[in-house]
Amino acid sequence: MDLTHPRTGTTVSPRPQDRQSDRAPQLSLRLIRIKHIIVALLLSVFFFLMFCFISLHAYITWVLSNPTVAPLFSNPALSKGLKYEDVTFPASDGSRNIQGWYIPSKNSTKTIVFSHGYGANREESWVPMYDLAHFAHRLNFNVIMFDYGFASPSNKDVATGGKKESRELLGAIQLAKQRGAKEIVVWGFSMGAGTALQTGLVTKDVDAMILDSTFLLEPDTLYHNIRQNIDLPRHPSLEIMELLFPVLNGTGLNQIPYTQVKAEDYPFPILFMHGTQDDKAPYPIAEKLAANQTNPYSDSWIVEGAHHELLFREHPREYLRRVSAFLSNVPLAKAAEEKRQTN
């Protein structure tokens, strides 16, 4: 008799398909995790590149707002033997005090106010400003030379493309009036010329302007100058800069009346001078501004091959001849305007 109990069942071992079904969820989880890691890495790279791109624009905006300006190295007496006074006067809105020089001309009621460019001070040596101040003084003009806030040696401010600077230029014009000027001419260079045009929108105290290499801060010229140093796409670079300027500078591009300036027919005569090889302010802007003027004493001189703010250096005789001829017509233009207003 066989006492051995037969086994009633067999040992159950996992079937191959069961092992595969266990592994499938594990593989799916791994793939999902890998996908999440890849997405996270791609997003990290994207946001890092975006941060770098915006930071680059912020740096450009900061540099443009804070130009490096050399200290004063001379004065009218040392450079040209001209007697002068140190003057301090307020901006028209009282926001700050401005430092400058007043060079008197004996018994003269005519004053030229120099409006220097971006990245320079009242000396603007590459023009060179002392030579032009001496020339104006020889024509029996009093001369005012001053530093905009961004060039102040003691209380530096940001450069705002004319928003704040126009109030500072108005302060210089008020100083000229206080010193007895009855004929006031603003002689501007580069951004100082663009600032003069903005100032001309809000004052009746200017009788004429001489504008050398006019630079007007607007999106087109801003991008043109950025491209001189770094190849950035026009869009979205301009949009980013427009957002950053109010944050880092306190001035939005829409606060600069460039559209109005480009369409304005000023009541006083203006002499526009510009070079065709100007790499900072394309000369068609000056041509457009000049074309808007109907004053019969306004004029323009577009110089073939000349460069930004170097017209006097490159063509000194013709430069001074044209300026002298223009200034001799300012009294005639003023008399004609006064007659028109009384009729």
Side-chain angles (χ1 to χ4, degrees), residues 48-153:
F48 175 73
L49 292 176
M50 283 295 296
F51 172 79
C52 292
F53 189 67
I54 293 173
S55 296
L56 174 62
H57 286 75
Y59 175 73
I60 293 171
T61 303
W62 187 89
V63 169
L64 290 174
S65 302
N66 296 272
T68 300
V69 179
L72 295 172
F73 71 89
S74 188
N75 60 55
L78 290 175
S79 293
K80 293 295 176 180
L82 296 172
K83 294 181 180 180
Y84 73 97
E85 304 172 31
D86 289 309
V87 292
T88 300
F89 56 90
S92 65
D93 59 358
S95 59
R96 64 179 294 119
N97 285 327
I98 311 298
Q99 288 77 44
W101 296 319
Y102 182 80
I103 305 171
S105 183
K106 188 175 181 180
N107 299 323
S108 176
T109 58
K110 305 183 299 181
T111 298
I112 283 178
V113 179
F114 282 104
S115 175
H116 69 77
Y118 172 86
N121 54 31
R122 69 189 91 159
E123 292 178 322
E124 199 147 9
S125 57
W126 55 81
V127 169
M129 200 76 88
Y130 285 122
D131 287 354
L132 295 182
H134 187 233
F135 171 73
H137 189 263
R138 280 167 42 204
L139 294 178
N140 199 33
F141 280 87
N142 306 301
V143 175
I144 293 177
M145 305 170 71
F146 71 96
D147 293 329
Y148 282 116
F150 63 80
S152 172

Side-chain angles (χ1 to χ4, degrees), residues 316-334:
R317 290 185 179 180
E318 183 65 11
Y319 189 103
L320 295 182
R321 186 192 70 79
R322 287 179 177 268
V323 169
S324 180
F326 175 77
L327 289 173
S328 68
N329 286 330
V330 172
L332 300 175
K334 185 178 180 180

Side-chain angles (χ1 to χ4, degrees), residues 252-268:
L253 290 182
N254 60 352
Q255 294 177 286
I256 299 171
Y258 56 84
T259 301
Q260 185 180 355
V261 166
K262 291 171 71 174
E264 186 73 8
D265 179 9
Y266 290 87
F268 47 79

